[in-house]
Amino acid sequence: LLGFENEKPVSINRKGEYVEAGEEIAGLARQISNLVGDFLFDGELIGLEYFVFDILKAQGTDLRAVNFK
């Protein structure tokens, strides 16, 4: 997971543990936060590209319980 919360980039591994985000990933999280504020995305980093599968939180709103229509 990749996110930005409390003015800091966050990265969460498959075990649910917060891990240090590399500077490139942290920079990506900062750029995304400029567009959507606090966020949490589920995705995968492949090379220098991050592919988003699920948007779990955006603009500070938890979207996990929202149904897709």
Side-chain angles (χ1 to χ4, degrees):
L1 303 174
L2 175 66
F4 197 84
E5 298 175 339
N6 301 318
E7 301 182 21
K8 293 189 304 188
V10 296
S11 183
I12 304 170
N13 67 17
R14 293 175 192 250
K15 296 179 183 178
E17 303 166 329
Y18 283 80
V19 294
E20 181 91 19
E23 190 51 43
E24 289 180 0
I25 299 301
L28 175 62
R30 286 186 197 94
Q31 290 176 356
I32 295 170
S33 75
N34 289 334
L35 299 172
V36 298
D38 283 1
F39 72 90
L40 187 60
F41 293 164
D42 185 6
E44 185 171 347
L45 180 67
I46 300 176
L48 296 176
E49 296 184 78
Y50 188 78
F51 294 87
V52 176
F53 306 136
D54 295 304
I55 300 172
L56 306 173
K57 178 180 174 182
Q59 296 180 333
T61 302
D62 187 342
L63 302 172
R64 290 176 275 199
V66 176
N67 291 326
F68 178 76
K69 294 181 182 185

